[in-house]
Amino acid sequence: MSTEEAGTDTFTAKIKNPSRKQAPEGVRLRISATDSQGNTVKQTLPTAYKLR
C-alpha cells in the first residue's frame, strides 16, 4: 500500500485488493498515523469493505 498527501491533514491510500478467495468476509484495514510531534493513532476496521 502507498499513501500520498492530498491536502491539509488529508491523505489518500492505494490498496491492491486481495482475491475474494483470500478475503471472503471482506477486507480488514489497519491504519496508523504519527504526527511531527510523535503523537500516534491506530485504528482497525474489521470489515472495511467487501469484495464483489
Side-chain angles (χ1 to χ4, degrees):
M1 178 171 62
S2 64
T3 59
E4 290 183 14
E5 189 172 2
T8 304
D9 298 328
T10 304
F11 294 83
T12 60
K14 294 181 183 179
I15 300 167
K16 183 178 178 184
N17 287 323
S19 69
R20 280 193 298 167
K21 190 175 188 178
Q22 292 174 306
E25 300 300 318
V27 176
R28 172 185 297 180
L29 291 179
R30 291 184 190 159
I31 303 157
S32 64
T34 305
D35 67 15
S36 60
Q37 295 178 335
N39 299 303
T40 302
V41 62
K42 294 181 181 183
Q43 185 174 12
T44 299
L45 303 172
T47 306
Y49 59 93
K50 295 190 178 241
L51 300 169
R52 295 187 205 181

